[in-house]
Amino acid sequence: MRLKNMGLSLVKVPEAVGYHWHPPFALDQISSLIDKEIQRGRMGVLFYQKHPTQEVRLMIQMTWLHRILWGTLSLGGLLNEKTMAPLLRWLINQGKPQLALEVARVFLNWYNVQGVYEAYGELQREGV
């Protein structure tokens, strides 16, 4: 954001190639992924403190739209790591761990949004 505010722009280079290796998704990763999403939400609020713009609110999913979207998709948190475990296990056993991870993103994003609003609420209670 600071570089953008200084007038610099992003240059895309389609020829540049990057690789990321991730082990296949497994159910034992869920608790650490949930923690990462909550922490991502909390850090997003710190980012928003530094750059309090609507653009950043969209980036960190701190809008009523995101709250409604992920709340609806997760049925208000009813679709979570416990209720979705049988489906995720089945997908993994079918050799589709990546699909299982994408399905898990529904409740993982809900945890992210919850982390955003929890952290933001704490800041407001502290008067920051």
Side-chain angles (χ1 to χ4, degrees), residues 7 13 15-16 22 24 35-37 58 65 77 81 86 95 98 104 121:
V13 181
E15 298 81 22
H22 299 280
D35 184 56
K36 284 178 188 173
E37 289 303 322
L58 286 168
L65 176 64
E81 67 279 10
Q98 189 60 40

Side-chain angles (χ1 to χ4, degrees), residues 3-128:
L3 294 174
K4 183 179 178 181
N5 291 339
M6 292 169 53
L8 298 172
S9 60
L10 179 67
V11 176
K12 295 187 180 195
V13 181
E15 298 81 22
V17 177
Y19 295 94
H20 297 271
W21 181 82
H22 299 280
F25 174 66
L27 289 180
D28 62 357
Q29 298 171 334
I30 289 179
S31 62
S32 68
L33 291 173
I34 289 171
D35 184 56
K36 284 178 188 173
E37 289 303 322
I38 292 169
Q39 293 306 317
R40 186 187 327 261
R42 297 183 73 74
M43 292 302 105
V45 171
L46 294 177
F47 181 57
Y48 177 70
Q49 278 185 290
K50 292 180 180 184
H51 308 281
T53 65
Q54 185 63 25
E55 181 180 10
V56 170
R57 287 177 73 99
L58 286 168
M59 281 182 201
I60 68 168
Q61 302 189 82
M62 194 167 77
T63 69
W64 61 267
L65 176 64
H66 289 99
R67 207 168 194 180
I68 290 171
L69 172 67
W70 294 114
T72 301
L73 289 173
S74 71
L75 301 177
L78 291 175
L79 296 180
N80 57 46
E81 67 279 10
K82 293 177 185 98
T83 60
M84 298 294 289
L87 173 61
L88 299 176
R89 186 176 297 108
W90 182 80
L91 288 169
I92 290 167
N93 290 339
Q94 295 298 307
K96 299 179 180 179
Q98 189 60 40
L99 180 56
L101 178 58
E102 296 308 318
V103 169
R105 290 198 193 283
V106 170
F107 63 81
L108 291 172
N109 273 308
W110 178 239
Y111 279 112
N112 177 290
V113 171
Q114 295 295 91
V116 165
Y117 281 97
E118 181 182 308
Y120 189 68
E122 288 171 10
L123 285 178
Q124 292 198 318
R125 285 189 294 278
E126 293 170 5
V128 177

